[in-house]
DNA sequence: CCACCACCTG
DNA sequence: CAGGTGGTGG
């Protein structure tokens, strides 16, 4: 969509390239045709959206770990092979409407849990020593889990504003939106010079893209706090219930008091990274699928790989939700781990490993998929190879997404819900597990430079949002603002320079000034903000750059540059053309990965 | 007064 | 890129 725009723009006027860009026409044309065939790589949609399930996965794992322990114990001690009835099959969908769910959960799960040990007849059958109590405990536990599952499933759908007209729009201020709109139109009217056929395409393309971006930015986020509360409660309740069950079982079954660890230890270690100590793998393997929880969408074998291998983290991707949108990635990204109270202080190292895994899929569809265009038009720095390298560095281990995965995506409606709630949770989470730095490091600078491709005038709030691992204070904020000020300075200087050059070369029509990827101007800018060319410069930046160039040209060609403050109007225009920054930039881990050092 | 900006300088 | 300065707007 947006990609072709640049090429479209320039095609008709050979001269346009002569001064701005190096060699051009022929190549450009061909690249243009190529582009038509391919999809836009920009903002969203390209990436499989949703691996938020991973958070659930962790959760499941937790439960399963506990369950496995209980089962193992029971199995080992009681030798009663009665398979547990599969409970509710689908117990996923963490809901976002905490209220009701929470209410019901409290009313039901608590009483049940604390209730008498009335034995279910069905569970009393079979010979066993010390059996009944144990079974009862398990049964109760199961029931509780089922209740929870049921309630979660029943919980009224959260505001799924996506469809609702009354959905929660406006993540950005209305003002901002307005500005965008007005600018968009002005941009188009300007470009809609009848004489310039191709520019219409640009206009349309930009409209489309902007709409896209806008849409993206307005995606709903709902009650983060609510969802978080719900999750917290669920977590506590479940862990408590399980712990109690385990406790009881142990007390009743185990004769040797030394035989059982403290409840805390037992119930938590299963999830701790590197947490080994799972009783008997064989036992677990044999029965893990018999509990209802095992029927949950993602049956994961906790100890199998989570802690160490990390390779196992690719597992969750099998789920229907594996497709992940950058947005989701970034969110999810901060969530599951840092949010995980049960993992007692996982090492940052391991955490980062895991996060890297998850993240690995984000950037791929987004930035690294280098368009054919690049290979043809960018001769000097072989972007393709560098980008591929970047892809590899980002996702060494995980399996790449395959079309097969995509097929599954649309399936579950619950998926979206789950995503949302998890997103909400993620959003509300502090970066507890990610060391927040005092000052700014080179990585931050690098990231800021790349962000400049999207925003020339970031607000301090935006910066705070996109540098979550930075401890902002007046000084840091000023410094970062200063960075962008310097970026702009360079940017405008280049624009003025090239505009002046165009004038000196006799260019009369500003529309002929288009910044392309093989333009000298682009090369200079890219060198400045994206040294090493590790990043695929978004097309929106090319559009902005072209526009800036044209504005400078217009002003100068009319002699406005004699006015001391002739640039101000241009600044004003450009300041309104900031694009939304991909959510992926919000991830501090992303920055760690990509911008380290 | 503060935050932010552009400009200039090193 | 950081410091310093002056201007601007809330």
């Amino acid at each position: 969509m947006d990609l072709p725009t640049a090429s479209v723009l320039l095609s008709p006027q050979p001269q346009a390239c002569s001064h701005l860009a190096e060699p051009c026409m022929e190549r450009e044309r061909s690249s243009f045709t190529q582009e038509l065939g391919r999809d836009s790589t920009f903002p969203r949609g390209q990436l499989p959206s949703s691996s938020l399930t991973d958070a659930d996965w962790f959760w499941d794992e937790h439960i399963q770990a506990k369950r496995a322990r209980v089962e193992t114990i029971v199995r080992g001690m009681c030798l009663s092979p009665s398979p547990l009835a599969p409970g509710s099959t689908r117990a996923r969908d963490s809901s976002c409407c905490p209220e009701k769910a929470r209410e019901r959960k409290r009313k039901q799960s608590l009483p049940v849990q604390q209730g008498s040990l009335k034995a279910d007849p069905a569970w009393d059958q079979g010979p066993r020593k010390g059996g009944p109590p144990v079974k009862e405990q398990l049964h109760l536990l199961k029931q509780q889990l089922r209740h929870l599952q049921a309630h979660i499933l029943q919980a009224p759908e959260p505001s799924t504003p996506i469809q609702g007209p009354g959905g929660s729009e406006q993540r950005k201020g209305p003002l901002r939106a307005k500005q965008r709109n007005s600018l968009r139109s002005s941009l188009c009217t300007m470009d809609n010079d009848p004489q310039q056929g191709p520019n219409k395409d640009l206009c349309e393309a930009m409209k489309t893209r902007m709409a896209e971006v806008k849409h993206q930015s307005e995606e709903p986020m709902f009650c983060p706090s609510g969802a978080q509360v719900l999750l917290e409660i669920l977590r506590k309740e479940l862990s408590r219930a399980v712990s109690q069950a385990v406790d009881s079982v142990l007390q009743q079954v185990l004769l040797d008091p030394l035989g059982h660890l403290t409840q805390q230890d037992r119930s938590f270690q299963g999830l701790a990274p590197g947490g080994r100590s799972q009783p008997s793998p064989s036992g677990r393997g044999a029965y893990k699928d018999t509990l209802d929880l095992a029927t949950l969408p993602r049956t994961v074998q906790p100890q199998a790989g989570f802690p160490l291998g990390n390779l196992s983290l690719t597992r969750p991707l099998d789920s229907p939700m594996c497709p992940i949108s950058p947005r989701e990635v970034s969110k999810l990204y901060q969530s599951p781990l840092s949010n995980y109270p049960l993992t007692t202080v996982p090492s940052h190292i391991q955490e980062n490993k895991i996060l890297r895994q998850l993240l690995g899929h984000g950037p791929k569809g987004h930035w690294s998929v280098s368009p054919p265009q690049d290979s043809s038009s960018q001769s000097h720095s072989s972007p393709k190879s560098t980008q591929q390298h970047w892809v590899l560095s980002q996702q060494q281990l995980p399996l790449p997404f395959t079309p097969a995965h995509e097929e599954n995506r649309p399936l579950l409606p619950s998926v979206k819900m789950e995503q949302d709630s998890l997103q909400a949770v993620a959003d509300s989470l502090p970066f507890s597990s990610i060391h927040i730095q005092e000052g700014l490091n080179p990585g931050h600078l690098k990231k800021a430079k790349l962000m400049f491709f999207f925003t020339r005038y970031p607000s301090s709030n935006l910066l705070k949002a996109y540098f979550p691992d930075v401890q902002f204070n007046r000084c840091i904020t000023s410094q970062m603002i200063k960075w962008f000020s310097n970026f702009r300075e360079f940017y405008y200087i280049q624009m003025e320079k090239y505009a002046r050059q165009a004038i000196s070369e006799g260019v009369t029509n500003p529309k002929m000034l288009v910044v392309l990827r093989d333009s000298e101007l682009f090369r200079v800018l890219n060198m400045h903000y994206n040294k090493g060319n590790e990043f695929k410069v978004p097309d929106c930046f090319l559009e902005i750059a072209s526009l800036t160039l044209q504005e400078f040209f217009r002003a100068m060609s009319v002699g406005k540059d004699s006015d001391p403050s002739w640039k101000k109007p241009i600044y004003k225009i450009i300041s309104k053309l900031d694009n939304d920054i991909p959510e992926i930039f919000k991830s501090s881990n992303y920055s760690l990965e990509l911008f380290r050092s």
Side-chain angles (χ1 to χ4, degrees):
Chain A
M1 295 296 162
D2 42 320
L3 245 166
T5 58
S7 301
V8 170
L9 250 184
L10 86 143
S11 31
Q13 278 87 11
Q15 329 127 313
C17 304
S18 58
H19 47 274
L20 281 186
E22 303 128 281
C24 71
M25 259 354 268
E26 296 309 296
R27 207 165 35 160
E28 289 309 336
R29 286 214 165 131
S30 61
S31 72
F32 168 58
T33 53
Q34 286 178 11
E35 287 171 57
L36 287 179
R38 63 175 267 278
D39 285 338
S40 157
T41 51
F42 195 50
R44 77 213 277 220
Q46 298 308 314
L47 269 186
S49 80
S50 99
S51 93
L52 285 177
T53 54
D54 291 337
D56 290 280
W57 175 75
F58 287 115
W59 178 228
D60 289 349
E61 193 171 42
H62 175 214
I63 294 175
Q64 285 203 331
K66 288 181 176 175
R67 189 191 64 232
R69 276 193 297 280
V70 174
E71 266 200 299
T72 302
I73 292 168
V74 174
R75 287 299 173 188
M77 305 309 289
C78 303
L79 298 174
S80 59
S82 58
L84 300 174
S88 57
T89 45
R90 314 194 62 250
R92 243 58 264 317
D93 318 328
S94 49
S95 120
C96 2
C97 252
E99 302 314 334
K100 291 185 184 175
R102 175 174 34 185
E103 295 301 328
R104 279 181 296 204
K105 183 168 66 63
R106 281 199 172 136
K107 278 178 191 161
Q108 301 194 15
S109 68
L110 282 179
V112 170
Q113 167 184 342
Q114 296 162 353
S116 64
L117 294 180
K118 238 192 318 181
D120 182 335
W123 283 81
D124 265 346
Q125 307 168 354
R128 77 219 74 215
K129 14 206 152 185
V134 174
K135 291 240 160 188
E136 286 167 4
Q137 289 285 337
L138 277 175
H139 188 219
L140 286 172
L141 178 59
K142 277 188 45 182
Q143 282 186 328
Q144 287 178 30
L145 289 173
R146 269 198 290 267
H147 281 310
L148 285 173
Q149 293 167 6
H151 289 151
I152 290 172
L153 285 173
Q154 289 170 9
E157 258 206 42
S159 45
T160 33
I162 318 172
Q163 306 159 333
S168 68
E169 300 242 305
Q170 270 39 352
R171 284 195 56 196
K172 316 197 86 153
L175 220 174
R176 189 93 164 170
K178 253 183 209 167
Q179 290 178 336
R180 268 162 222 275
N181 283 332
S182 66
L183 248 135
R184 192 185 316 163
S185 53
S186 76
L187 197 79
C188 290
T189 50
M190 186 184 69
D191 286 337
N192 269 343
D193 188 336
Q195 172 192 5
Q196 301 288 331
N199 284 335
K200 284 185 178 176
D201 294 316
L202 168 66
C203 182
E204 289 308 312
M206 279 192 81
K207 270 185 186 169
T208 304
R209 184 182 57 74
M210 286 177 133
E212 243 180 315
V213 172
K214 185 158 171 268
H215 203 70
Q216 176 187 25
S217 71
E218 288 167 357
E219 246 175 56
M221 329 237 328
F222 60 82
C223 53
S225 59
Q228 187 180 12
V229 169
L230 174 59
L231 280 182
E232 284 299 324
I233 292 174
L234 284 174
R235 204 172 286 126
K236 285 175 183 167
E237 295 290 327
L238 277 173
S239 68
R240 188 152 47 111
V242 175
S243 293
Q244 284 187 5
V246 173
D247 202 350
S248 301
V249 169
L250 288 174
Q251 285 181 0
Q252 296 176 30
V253 174
L254 293 179
L255 295 178
D256 177 11
L258 298 176
H260 66 280
L261 308 172
T262 63
Q263 294 310 308
Q264 293 297 325
D265 287 343
R266 301 222 72 168
S267 48
F268 288 124
Q269 63 189 188
L271 276 178
R276 21 38 333 211
S277 82
Q278 220 18 233
S280 60
S282 57
R284 174 178 51 78
Y287 299 106
K288 80 176 162 67
D289 288 331
T290 57
L291 288 172
D292 3 342
L293 276 180
T295 63
L296 294 179
R298 246 166 288 91
T299 60
V300 180
Q301 304 179 16
Q303 296 73 24
F306 170 45
L308 302 175
N310 290 333
L311 279 170
S312 65
L313 280 176
T314 58
R315 288 297 305 149
L317 299 176
D318 290 342
S319 79
M321 345 224 298
C322 52
I324 236 181
S325 76
R327 176 190 188 77
E328 266 84 60
V329 172
S330 64
K331 308 235 155 150
L332 156 139
Y333 206 23
Q334 323 157 356
S335 71
L337 294 169
S338 55
N339 180 30
Y340 209 41
L342 296 176
T343 64
T344 51
V345 190
S347 75
H348 287 335
I349 297 175
Q350 281 169 325
E351 206 169 37
N352 283 336
K353 263 189 183 175
I354 294 166
L355 294 177
R356 202 180 310 145
Q357 299 269 328
L358 297 175
L359 178 62
H361 302 272
K364 185 194 173 191
H366 227 50
W367 307 116
S368 344
V369 174
S370 76
Q373 166 201 10
D374 286 88
S375 58
S376 65
S377 64
Q378 234 163 8
S379 49
H380 43 280
S381 54
S382 67
K384 212 169 182 181
S385 60
T386 57
Q387 283 169 7
Q388 281 172 354
H389 173 268
W390 146 215
V391 173
L392 287 177
S393 69
Q394 284 298 299
Q395 52 165 39
Q396 303 138 343
L397 308 169
L399 304 170
F401 284 116
T402 65
H405 288 129
E406 295 249 312
E407 292 174 9
N408 295 330
R409 168 171 29 168
L411 298 189
L412 320 178
S414 58
V415 162
K416 182 56 188 169
M417 198 166 102
E418 190 173 16
Q419 281 180 17
D420 288 346
S421 74
L422 285 170
Q423 269 186 37
V425 171
D427 285 342
S428 65
L429 286 176
F431 281 68
S432 55
S433 63
I434 293 161
H435 45 290
I436 294 180
Q437 295 192 349
E438 256 313 317
L440 299 172
N441 61 35
H444 292 133
L445 176 60
K446 199 168 179 179
K447 179 177 175 179
K449 283 182 172 182
L450 296 188
M451 285 171 62
F452 183 77
F453 286 133
F454 299 91
T455 175
R456 269 61 56 188
Y457 293 83
S459 68
S460 56
N461 283 333
L462 184 146
L463 293 176
K464 286 169 187 166
Y466 279 87
F467 289 89
D469 59 336
V470 171
Q471 188 71 282
F472 278 87
N473 55 41
R474 194 174 293 149
C475 202
I476 297 294
T477 303
S478 304
Q479 187 184 359
M480 206 171 277
I481 294 285
K482 177 66 179 177
W483 281 357
F484 278 85
S485 180
N486 286 330
F487 298 162
R488 283 193 301 271
E489 193 172 6
F490 180 83
Y491 175 79
Y492 286 130
I493 287 175
Q494 298 306 314
M495 292 298 164
E496 182 179 354
K497 176 180 165 187
Y498 279 81
R500 211 170 285 281
Q501 183 179 330
I503 286 185
S504 71
E505 291 181 11
V507 176
T508 55
N509 188 346
K511 310 228 169 186
M512 300 169 102
L513 304 180
V514 178
V515 179
L516 297 167
R517 290 180 187 278
D518 59 355
S519 301
E520 173 64 16
L521 176 53
F522 176 83
R523 194 189 65 76
V524 172
L525 294 174
N526 190 54
M527 188 65 76
H528 190 73
Y529 306 114
N530 185 27
K531 213 167 282 182
N533 205 28
E534 295 168 322
F535 189 82
K536 163 83 160 53
V537 178
D539 292 295
C540 61
F541 178 73
L542 294 182
E543 294 164 6
I544 302 298
S546 299
L547 201 136
T548 309
L549 186 62
Q550 292 170 12
E551 287 302 317
F552 268 92
F553 179 89
R554 289 177 206 278
M556 288 167 52
S557 60
V558 185
K560 283 185 180 176
D561 54 340
S562 57
D563 180 346
S565 57
W566 66 284
K567 293 178 183 173
K568 281 195 175 177
I570 300 177
Y571 295 155
K572 191 174 181 183
I573 293 175
I574 302 306
S575 70
K576 291 177 180 174
L577 288 176
D578 278 3
N579 296 91
D580 292 325
I581 304 172
E583 296 284 322
I584 188 74
F585 275 87
K586 282 186 180 173
S587 163
S588 63
N589 287 276
Y590 176 74
S591 64
L592 286 180
E593 260 313 299
L594 181 58
F595 313 111
R596 65 175 177 278
S597 128

Short mmCIF file of all heavy atoms in Angstrom, two decimals, chain A residues 445 449 479 482-483 486-487, chain C residues 1-5 7-8:
data_model
loop_
_atom_site.label_atom_id
_atom_site.label_comp_id
_atom_site.label_asym_id
_atom_site.label_seq_id
_atom_site.Cartn_x
_atom_site.Cartn_y
_atom_site.Cartn_z
N LEU A 445 20.14 5.87 22.45
CA LEU A 445 20.35 6.86 21.39
C LEU A 445 20.02 6.26 20.03
O LEU A 445 19.34 6.87 19.20
CB LEU A 445 21.80 7.35 21.41
CG LEU A 445 22.19 8.32 20.30
CD1 LEU A 445 21.32 9.57 20.35
CD2 LEU A 445 23.66 8.69 20.40
N LYS A 449 17.10 7.38 17.46
CA LYS A 449 17.33 7.74 16.06
C LYS A 449 16.37 7.01 15.14
O LYS A 449 15.84 7.59 14.19
CB LYS A 449 18.77 7.41 15.67
CG LYS A 449 19.79 8.41 16.18
CD LYS A 449 21.19 8.03 15.69
CE LYS A 449 22.18 9.12 16.04
NZ LYS A 449 23.54 8.79 15.54
N GLN A 479 17.46 15.69 27.98
CA GLN A 479 18.50 15.14 27.13
C GLN A 479 17.89 14.46 25.91
O GLN A 479 18.35 14.63 24.78
CB GLN A 479 19.35 14.14 27.90
CG GLN A 479 20.56 13.65 27.10
CD GLN A 479 21.34 12.58 27.84
OE1 GLN A 479 20.98 12.21 28.96
NE2 GLN A 479 22.39 12.08 27.23
N LYS A 482 16.50 16.85 23.64
CA LYS A 482 17.64 17.47 22.96
C LYS A 482 18.12 16.60 21.80
O LYS A 482 18.49 17.10 20.74
CB LYS A 482 18.77 17.68 23.96
CG LYS A 482 20.03 18.25 23.37
CD LYS A 482 19.82 19.68 22.87
CE LYS A 482 21.09 20.27 22.30
NZ LYS A 482 20.87 21.62 21.75
N TRP A 483 18.10 15.34 22.03
CA TRP A 483 18.48 14.42 20.96
C TRP A 483 17.63 14.68 19.72
O TRP A 483 18.15 14.87 18.62
CB TRP A 483 18.28 12.97 21.40
CG TRP A 483 19.35 12.44 22.28
CD1 TRP A 483 20.48 13.10 22.67
CD2 TRP A 483 19.39 11.15 22.88
NE1 TRP A 483 21.22 12.28 23.48
CE2 TRP A 483 20.58 11.08 23.62
CE3 TRP A 483 18.54 10.05 22.86
CZ2 TRP A 483 20.95 9.95 24.33
CZ3 TRP A 483 18.90 8.92 23.55
CH2 TRP A 483 20.10 8.87 24.29
N ASN A 486 18.42 17.76 18.02
CA ASN A 486 19.61 17.61 17.17
C ASN A 486 19.29 16.83 15.90
O ASN A 486 19.79 17.15 14.82
CB ASN A 486 20.71 16.90 17.94
CG ASN A 486 21.35 17.79 18.99
OD1 ASN A 486 21.41 19.01 18.82
ND2 ASN A 486 21.80 17.20 20.08
N PHE A 487 18.47 15.84 16.05
CA PHE A 487 18.08 15.06 14.87
C PHE A 487 17.41 15.97 13.85
O PHE A 487 17.70 15.94 12.66
CB PHE A 487 17.11 13.94 15.24
CG PHE A 487 17.68 12.92 16.19
CD1 PHE A 487 16.84 12.09 16.91
CD2 PHE A 487 19.05 12.81 16.37
CE1 PHE A 487 17.34 11.14 17.78
CE2 PHE A 487 19.57 11.86 17.26
CZ PHE A 487 18.70 11.04 17.96
P DC C 1 23.51 11.21 17.96
OP1 DC C 1 22.45 10.79 18.83
OP2 DC C 1 24.30 10.56 17.13
"O5'" DC C 1 24.11 12.50 18.71
"C5'" DC C 1 24.67 12.08 19.84
"C4'" DC C 1 25.42 13.16 20.55
"O4'" DC C 1 26.05 14.08 19.68
"C3'" DC C 1 24.52 13.96 21.49
"O3'" DC C 1 24.93 13.70 22.82
"C2'" DC C 1 24.76 15.39 21.12
"C1'" DC C 1 26.06 15.34 20.32
N1 DC C 1 26.13 16.42 19.31
C2 DC C 1 27.02 17.46 19.52
O2 DC C 1 27.70 17.45 20.55
N3 DC C 1 27.10 18.45 18.61
C4 DC C 1 26.33 18.41 17.52
N4 DC C 1 26.44 19.39 16.64
C5 DC C 1 25.40 17.34 17.28
C6 DC C 1 25.34 16.38 18.19
P DA C 2 24.04 14.01 23.99
OP1 DA C 2 24.14 12.88 24.94
OP2 DA C 2 22.75 14.47 23.49
"O5'" DA C 2 24.79 15.26 24.64
"C5'" DA C 2 26.13 15.11 25.02
"C4'" DA C 2 26.68 16.44 25.49
"O4'" DA C 2 26.83 17.31 24.34
"C3'" DA C 2 25.78 17.19 26.47
"O3'" DA C 2 26.60 17.86 27.41
"C2'" DA C 2 25.03 18.17 25.58
"C1'" DA C 2 26.08 18.49 24.52
N9 DA C 2 25.53 18.85 23.20
C8 DA C 2 24.55 18.19 22.51
N7 DA C 2 24.28 18.74 21.35
C5 DA C 2 25.14 19.82 21.27
C6 DA C 2 25.35 20.80 20.28
N6 DA C 2 24.68 20.84 19.14
N1 DA C 2 26.29 21.74 20.52
C2 DA C 2 26.96 21.69 21.67
N3 DA C 2 26.86 20.82 22.67
C4 DA C 2 25.92 19.90 22.41
P DG C 3 25.95 18.38 28.74
OP1 DG C 3 26.56 17.68 29.87
OP2 DG C 3 24.48 18.42 28.56
"O5'" DG C 3 26.49 19.89 28.73
"C5'" DG C 3 26.80 20.48 27.49
"C4'" DG C 3 27.22 21.91 27.70
"O4'" DG C 3 27.14 22.55 26.43
"C3'" DG C 3 26.30 22.70 28.63
"O3'" DG C 3 27.02 23.77 29.23
"C2'" DG C 3 25.23 23.20 27.68
"C1'" DG C 3 25.97 23.36 26.36
N9 DG C 3 25.17 22.94 25.22
C8 DG C 3 24.37 21.81 25.12
N7 DG C 3 23.76 21.71 23.98
C5 DG C 3 24.17 22.83 23.27
C6 DG C 3 23.83 23.26 21.96
O6 DG C 3 23.08 22.74 21.14
N1 DG C 3 24.48 24.46 21.64
C2 DG C 3 25.33 25.14 22.45
N2 DG C 3 25.84 26.26 21.96
N3 DG C 3 25.66 24.75 23.68
C4 DG C 3 25.04 23.59 24.02
P DG C 4 26.27 24.73 30.23
OP1 DG C 4 27.26 25.23 31.20
OP2 DG C 4 25.04 24.06 30.68
"O5'" DG C 4 25.85 25.91 29.25
"C5'" DG C 4 26.86 26.60 28.52
"C4'" DG C 4 26.21 27.65 27.65
"O4'" DG C 4 25.60 27.00 26.51
"C3'" DG C 4 25.10 28.43 28.36
"O3'" DG C 4 25.38 29.83 28.25
"C2'" DG C 4 23.83 28.07 27.60
"C1'" DG C 4 24.35 27.60 26.25
N9 DG C 4 23.50 26.60 25.61
C8 DG C 4 23.12 25.40 26.13
N7 DG C 4 22.34 24.71 25.33
C5 DG C 4 22.20 25.52 24.22
C6 DG C 4 21.47 25.30 23.02
O6 DG C 4 20.79 24.33 22.70
N1 DG C 4 21.59 26.38 22.14
C2 DG C 4 22.33 27.51 22.39
N2 DG C 4 22.32 28.42 21.43
N3 DG C 4 23.02 27.72 23.50
C4 DG C 4 22.90 26.69 24.37
P DT C 5 24.43 30.85 28.97
OP1 DT C 5 25.25 32.01 29.39
OP2 DT C 5 23.59 30.14 29.93
"O5'" DT C 5 23.51 31.32 27.77
"C5'" DT C 5 24.11 31.81 26.57
"C4'" DT C 5 23.03 32.15 25.58
"O4'" DT C 5 22.49 30.94 25.03
"C3'" DT C 5 21.86 32.92 26.20
"O3'" DT C 5 21.73 34.18 25.55
"C2'" DT C 5 20.64 32.05 25.92
"C1'" DT C 5 21.11 31.13 24.81
N1 DT C 5 20.48 29.78 24.79
C2 DT C 5 19.75 29.39 23.69
O2 DT C 5 19.60 30.11 22.71
N3 DT C 5 19.21 28.14 23.77
C4 DT C 5 19.33 27.26 24.83
O4 DT C 5 18.79 26.15 24.81
C5 DT C 5 20.09 27.72 25.96
C7 DT C 5 20.28 26.85 27.15
C6 DT C 5 20.63 28.95 25.89
P DG C 7 15.21 37.15 22.89
OP1 DG C 7 15.22 38.34 22.02
OP2 DG C 7 15.06 37.27 24.35
"O5'" DG C 7 14.07 36.15 22.38
"C5'" DG C 7 14.18 35.60 21.07
"C4'" DG C 7 13.04 34.63 20.85
"O4'" DG C 7 13.34 33.40 21.54
"C3'" DG C 7 11.69 35.12 21.38
"O3'" DG C 7 10.71 34.97 20.36
"C2'" DG C 7 11.40 34.23 22.56
"C1'" DG C 7 12.21 32.97 22.27
N9 DG C 7 12.69 32.28 23.45
C8 DG C 7 13.50 32.78 24.43
N7 DG C 7 13.77 31.92 25.38
C5 DG C 7 13.09 30.77 24.98
C6 DG C 7 12.99 29.51 25.62
O6 DG C 7 13.53 29.14 26.68
N1 DG C 7 12.20 28.63 24.89
C2 DG C 7 11.58 28.93 23.71
N2 DG C 7 10.86 27.96 23.16
N3 DG C 7 11.66 30.11 23.11
C4 DG C 7 12.42 30.98 23.81
P DT C 8 9.31 35.59 20.55
OP1 DT C 8 8.79 36.01 19.24
OP2 DT C 8 9.35 36.51 21.71
"O5'" DT C 8 8.49 34.29 20.99
"C5'" DT C 8 8.52 33.13 20.16
"C4'" DT C 8 7.72 32.03 20.83
"O4'" DT C 8 8.47 31.47 21.91
"C3'" DT C 8 6.38 32.48 21.42
"O3'" DT C 8 5.37 31.66 20.89
"C2'" DT C 8 6.54 32.28 22.91
"C1'" DT C 8 7.59 31.18 22.96
N1 DT C 8 8.39 31.10 24.20
C2 DT C 8 8.42 29.92 24.90
O2 DT C 8 7.80 28.94 24.55
N3 DT C 8 9.19 29.95 26.02
C4 DT C 8 9.93 31.01 26.50
O4 DT C 8 10.60 30.91 27.52
C5 DT C 8 9.86 32.22 25.73
C7 DT C 8 10.61 33.41 26.16
C6 DT C 8 9.10 32.21 24.62
#
